[in-house]
Amino acid sequence: MEKEIKLMKGNEALAEAAIREGVDGYFGYPITPQSEVLEYLAAERPWLRTGMVVLQAESEVAAINMVYGGAGTGKKVMTSSSSPGVSLKQEGISYIAGAELPALIVNVMRAGPGLGAIQPAQADYFQATKGGGHGDYRLITLAPSSVQEMYDFVHTAFELAFKYRTPAMILADGAIGQMMEKVTLKPQKERLADDKIKELYPWATTGRKKDAERTFITSLDLDPERFERHNHALQAKYKKIEENEVIVEMLNVEDAEYIIVAFGTSARVSFKAMDLLREEGYKVGLVRPITLWPFPKKEISQLAEKVKGILTVEMNAGQMVEDVRLAVNGRIPVEFYGRMGGMIPSPEEVVDAMKQKLIGG
Amino acid sequence: MVYKKTPLMTDKVLSYCPGCGHGTAHRITMEVVEEMGIQEDVLGVAPVGCSVLAYEFMNVDMSEAAHGRAPAVATGMKRLWPNKLVFTYQGDGDLAAIGTAETIHACNRGENITIIFINNGIYGMTGGQMAPTTLEGMKSSTSPFGREADIMGHPLKITELIAQLPGVYSVSRHAVHKPAAVRKAKRAIRKAFEDQLAKKGTTFIEIVSNCNSGWKMTPVKSNEWMEEHMFPFYPLGDIKKDGKLVK
């Protein structure tokens, strides 16, 4: 079969992927730089294509709670937003994690704190990977660095979310959302029929069958002993995810003396910087965590045994670098280079940082 | 047999104070579901407040919602299962303070859901604080000298406000403190559920109820106080019927 290739914006690719993945419902609220997701869906009218529900909510808070409501009934549901909007969703995300529901949340990050700027940033790394809302929970966090990955990770995120009954996040940044690239589209998947949902997901509230026990969705338990057991069960699930679901791309690490660790747009910049450094004869490799949580601790720890130093490049004040340092545990120097406020580092800046902080130093 | 407990109420002992109207409101809601024979097609949403554990008592499939978000949760459910009967059960703090936006916008979209709103003019679960519907001069733990409108704002007649929205098909206000009132409230819930199944739009039922603990009165006294003070400000009856405002 001939490949279906299209030139698309990252946000549009994500929206088209949602339709073709057989998503049942999208609930969103406009915010720059991710409004194209809702706009694309509104123009595509997927309710005519697949029966997919698309609704512009009155706020990010309402949107995430619509997602919670839909997820509790076993449907494949998602929302998307950008940093300030994702902050508003944190309460709902905590409830989704606590009630153990599968859902996809997309954050096309812009600069913060506060209303910040509309230009790309990666300063929500902590929020995404360390919990974000209240309570002990984790989000499976996927970081795309191309428009193709914006498309592909919709599938990956839902696979993982349903496998573990836990929310997953695509953590992109404004550059990935706004830029245009070629995307290979996949064939349309059918949405699950209602009867199939009832059969596959007995935990979902789909109406209490005569003489059967009712099901209910909640994150509340007023019995602290029982609730501690629930927390232990959540932690056991997160441990399993950490052991089994790490995705990481490693380039030129075989002979590398120095490593750059970067994700998303920073990884694209760092890829170019690696090439420039190699042209000058420096043996530099790139590690690109695709799952930011679970973090590729083992892979980075192993590299720390053989390389001289690591430079972490991020569009923030230094967030992922803390996880890199935990993995390295003081064995080799771990340096950081970052830009903030919506600025994107240039490859030359990364080259200079590598030379000044590690190679020359 | 004169009276039989509906199997759609669980055997769990209600967590409500003796004399509170919640238990009756739960029971008549579940009786309507039983009498209509729609148990397999009902999805309920519980709020945060005294009825936070409603899903422990109502023996149908339910979801707990974050404080105020029940209409959004119900929207998600109903849009994805348009043939199910979806209802929310919410208190005044939940519906008319923290959840005002969700309430108004779900109603304004004419979401085909039924909202059952218990208005007792107080935050019961957290210990009797002032609610959006607390009457002027009424005492609560955060208005210990009585609600002063110039400092604390006026009591909110959210039900009358909601009735103005074109997406809303019916709005009525009831009580459950006397057998005749209970029968009336139950008939209204049944009508609302039937209208929802006929896809008429949002149906909204307020039940003015007592909170004898929060009001610091005996159950009997609190019902008398409710008739004397709450009913004049929150008059019972139809506010919007079959899509038309009642004069």
mmCIF file of all heavy atoms in Angstrom, chain A residues 102-123:
data_model
loop_
_atom_site.group_PDB
_atom_site.id
_atom_site.type_symbol
_atom_site.label_atom_id
_atom_site.label_comp_id
_atom_site.label_asym_id
_atom_site.label_seq_id
_atom_site.Cartn_x
_atom_site.Cartn_y
_atom_site.Cartn_z
ATOM 1 N N PRO A 102 -7.516 5.609 32.498
ATOM 2 C CA PRO A 102 -6.650 5.888 31.349
ATOM 3 C C PRO A 102 -7.104 7.168 30.655
ATOM 4 O O PRO A 102 -8.303 7.376 30.461
ATOM 5 C CB PRO A 102 -6.893 4.676 30.435
ATOM 6 C CG PRO A 102 -8.265 4.204 30.779
ATOM 7 C CD PRO A 102 -8.550 4.618 32.204
ATOM 8 N N ALA A 103 -6.179 8.033 30.329
ATOM 9 C CA ALA A 103 -6.526 9.256 29.598
ATOM 10 C C ALA A 103 -5.242 9.857 29.056
ATOM 11 O O ALA A 103 -4.147 9.559 29.544
ATOM 12 C CB ALA A 103 -7.218 10.261 30.516
ATOM 13 N N LEU A 104 -5.388 10.697 28.055
ATOM 14 C CA LEU A 104 -4.235 11.391 27.485
ATOM 15 C C LEU A 104 -4.373 12.892 27.694
ATOM 16 O O LEU A 104 -5.408 13.479 27.388
ATOM 17 C CB LEU A 104 -4.114 11.081 25.978
ATOM 18 C CG LEU A 104 -3.110 11.942 25.187
ATOM 19 C CD1 LEU A 104 -1.690 11.801 25.733
ATOM 20 C CD2 LEU A 104 -3.141 11.577 23.702
ATOM 21 N N ILE A 105 -3.324 13.491 28.235
ATOM 22 C CA ILE A 105 -3.248 14.937 28.400
ATOM 23 C C ILE A 105 -2.045 15.407 27.589
ATOM 24 O O ILE A 105 -0.964 14.829 27.701
ATOM 25 C CB ILE A 105 -3.050 15.322 29.888
ATOM 26 C CG1 ILE A 105 -4.199 14.767 30.733
ATOM 27 C CG2 ILE A 105 -2.945 16.828 30.061
ATOM 28 C CD1 ILE A 105 -3.820 13.629 31.627
ATOM 29 N N VAL A 106 -2.240 16.427 26.783
ATOM 30 C CA VAL A 106 -1.140 16.945 25.967
ATOM 31 C C VAL A 106 -0.788 18.338 26.454
ATOM 32 O O VAL A 106 -1.664 19.178 26.642
ATOM 33 C CB VAL A 106 -1.545 17.008 24.470
ATOM 34 C CG1 VAL A 106 -0.391 17.519 23.630
ATOM 35 C CG2 VAL A 106 -2.015 15.643 23.987
ATOM 36 N N ASN A 107 0.495 18.576 26.673
ATOM 37 C CA ASN A 107 0.978 19.900 27.054
ATOM 38 C C ASN A 107 1.958 20.393 25.996
ATOM 39 O O ASN A 107 3.042 19.836 25.845
ATOM 40 C CB ASN A 107 1.659 19.849 28.434
ATOM 41 C CG ASN A 107 2.127 21.224 28.919
ATOM 42 O OD1 ASN A 107 1.987 22.225 28.220
ATOM 43 N ND2 ASN A 107 2.694 21.269 30.115
ATOM 44 N N VAL A 108 1.533 21.396 25.233
ATOM 45 C CA VAL A 108 2.438 22.038 24.269
ATOM 46 C C VAL A 108 3.013 23.255 24.997
ATOM 47 O O VAL A 108 2.431 24.336 24.995
ATOM 48 C CB VAL A 108 1.687 22.440 22.985
ATOM 49 C CG1 VAL A 108 2.649 23.029 21.963
ATOM 50 C CG2 VAL A 108 0.970 21.230 22.379
ATOM 51 N N MET A 109 4.177 23.031 25.621
ATOM 52 C CA MET A 109 4.689 23.991 26.601
ATOM 53 C C MET A 109 5.077 25.351 26.029
ATOM 54 O O MET A 109 5.664 25.452 24.968
ATOM 55 C CB MET A 109 5.938 23.417 27.287
ATOM 56 C CG MET A 109 5.677 22.302 28.256
ATOM 57 S SD MET A 109 7.242 21.741 28.974
ATOM 58 C CE MET A 109 7.908 20.762 27.641
ATOM 59 N N ARG A 110 4.751 26.386 26.821
ATOM 60 C CA ARG A 110 5.234 27.743 26.571
ATOM 61 C C ARG A 110 5.980 28.204 27.821
ATOM 62 O O ARG A 110 5.994 27.501 28.837
ATOM 63 C CB ARG A 110 4.069 28.665 26.244
ATOM 64 C CG ARG A 110 3.018 28.736 27.333
ATOM 65 C CD ARG A 110 1.770 29.447 26.854
ATOM 66 N NE ARG A 110 1.608 30.744 27.520
ATOM 67 C CZ ARG A 110 0.546 31.520 27.325
ATOM 68 N NH1 ARG A 110 -0.411 31.145 26.491
ATOM 69 N NH2 ARG A 110 0.436 32.668 27.952
ATOM 70 N N ALA A 111 6.550 29.383 27.737
ATOM 71 C CA ALA A 111 7.418 29.827 28.825
ATOM 72 C C ALA A 111 6.611 30.316 30.024
ATOM 73 O O ALA A 111 5.562 30.931 29.875
ATOM 74 C CB ALA A 111 8.347 30.930 28.336
ATOM 75 N N GLY A 112 7.106 30.044 31.194
ATOM 76 C CA GLY A 112 6.524 30.506 32.446
ATOM 77 C C GLY A 112 7.616 31.114 33.296
ATOM 78 O O GLY A 112 8.729 31.319 32.802
ATOM 79 N N PRO A 113 7.384 31.404 34.553
ATOM 80 C CA PRO A 113 6.143 31.152 35.285
ATOM 81 C C PRO A 113 5.048 32.181 34.985
ATOM 82 O O PRO A 113 5.278 33.140 34.263
ATOM 83 C CB PRO A 113 6.602 31.260 36.748
ATOM 84 C CG PRO A 113 7.763 32.203 36.732
ATOM 85 C CD PRO A 113 8.443 31.956 35.410
ATOM 86 N N GLY A 114 3.887 31.928 35.558
ATOM 87 C CA GLY A 114 2.759 32.839 35.374
ATOM 88 C C GLY A 114 2.196 32.756 33.972
ATOM 89 O O GLY A 114 2.271 31.726 33.323
ATOM 90 N N LEU A 115 1.667 33.863 33.516
ATOM 91 C CA LEU A 115 1.145 33.887 32.157
ATOM 92 C C LEU A 115 2.281 33.730 31.160
ATOM 93 O O LEU A 115 2.114 33.235 30.063
ATOM 94 C CB LEU A 115 0.385 35.206 31.934
ATOM 95 C CG LEU A 115 -0.576 35.286 30.755
ATOM 96 C CD1 LEU A 115 -1.515 34.093 30.694
ATOM 97 C CD2 LEU A 115 -1.373 36.571 30.800
ATOM 98 N N GLY A 116 3.488 34.141 31.600
ATOM 99 C CA GLY A 116 4.720 33.839 30.880
ATOM 100 C C GLY A 116 4.777 34.429 29.495
ATOM 101 O O GLY A 116 4.468 35.589 29.276
ATOM 102 N N ALA A 117 5.187 33.590 28.543
ATOM 103 C CA ALA A 117 5.278 34.010 27.152
ATOM 104 C C ALA A 117 4.706 32.899 26.299
ATOM 105 O O ALA A 117 4.565 31.780 26.763
ATOM 106 C CB ALA A 117 6.736 34.271 26.774
ATOM 107 N N ILE A 118 4.385 33.218 25.033
ATOM 108 C CA ILE A 118 3.770 32.196 24.194
ATOM 109 C C ILE A 118 4.811 31.409 23.398
ATOM 110 O O ILE A 118 4.488 30.513 22.662
ATOM 111 C CB ILE A 118 2.717 32.810 23.242
ATOM 112 C CG1 ILE A 118 3.347 33.889 22.364
ATOM 113 C CG2 ILE A 118 1.552 33.379 24.049
ATOM 114 C CD1 ILE A 118 2.432 34.368 21.253
ATOM 115 N N GLN A 119 6.097 31.762 23.588
ATOM 116 C CA GLN A 119 7.154 31.071 22.864
ATOM 117 C C GLN A 119 7.519 29.755 23.560
ATOM 118 O O GLN A 119 7.224 29.575 24.732
ATOM 119 C CB GLN A 119 8.391 31.964 22.738
ATOM 120 C CG GLN A 119 8.222 33.108 21.752
ATOM 121 C CD GLN A 119 7.463 34.292 22.336
ATOM 122 O OE1 GLN A 119 7.173 34.317 23.525
ATOM 123 N NE2 GLN A 119 7.131 35.264 21.512
ATOM 124 N N PRO A 120 8.176 28.849 22.828
ATOM 125 C CA PRO A 120 8.424 27.502 23.361
ATOM 126 C C PRO A 120 9.322 27.481 24.594
ATOM 127 O O PRO A 120 10.238 28.295 24.725
ATOM 128 C CB PRO A 120 9.127 26.776 22.210
ATOM 129 C CG PRO A 120 9.163 27.686 21.054
ATOM 130 C CD PRO A 120 8.650 29.013 21.448
ATOM 131 N N ALA A 121 9.043 26.527 25.474
ATOM 132 C CA ALA A 121 9.882 26.294 26.650
ATOM 133 C C ALA A 121 9.694 24.854 27.090
ATOM 134 O O ALA A 121 8.840 24.138 26.555
ATOM 135 C CB ALA A 121 9.500 27.251 27.775
ATOM 136 N N GLN A 122 10.521 24.437 28.025
ATOM 137 C CA GLN A 122 10.428 23.074 28.563
ATOM 138 C C GLN A 122 10.400 23.120 30.089
ATOM 139 O O GLN A 122 10.888 22.219 30.749
ATOM 140 C CB GLN A 122 11.624 22.241 28.075
ATOM 141 C CG GLN A 122 11.669 22.110 26.558
ATOM 142 C CD GLN A 122 12.859 21.296 26.077
ATOM 143 O OE1 GLN A 122 13.971 21.427 26.606
ATOM 144 N NE2 GLN A 122 12.634 20.447 25.091
ATOM 145 N N ALA A 123 9.816 24.193 30.611
ATOM 146 C CA ALA A 123 9.912 24.434 32.052
ATOM 147 C C ALA A 123 8.846 23.691 32.850
ATOM 148 O O ALA A 123 8.756 23.865 34.064
ATOM 149 C CB ALA A 123 9.844 25.938 32.330
#
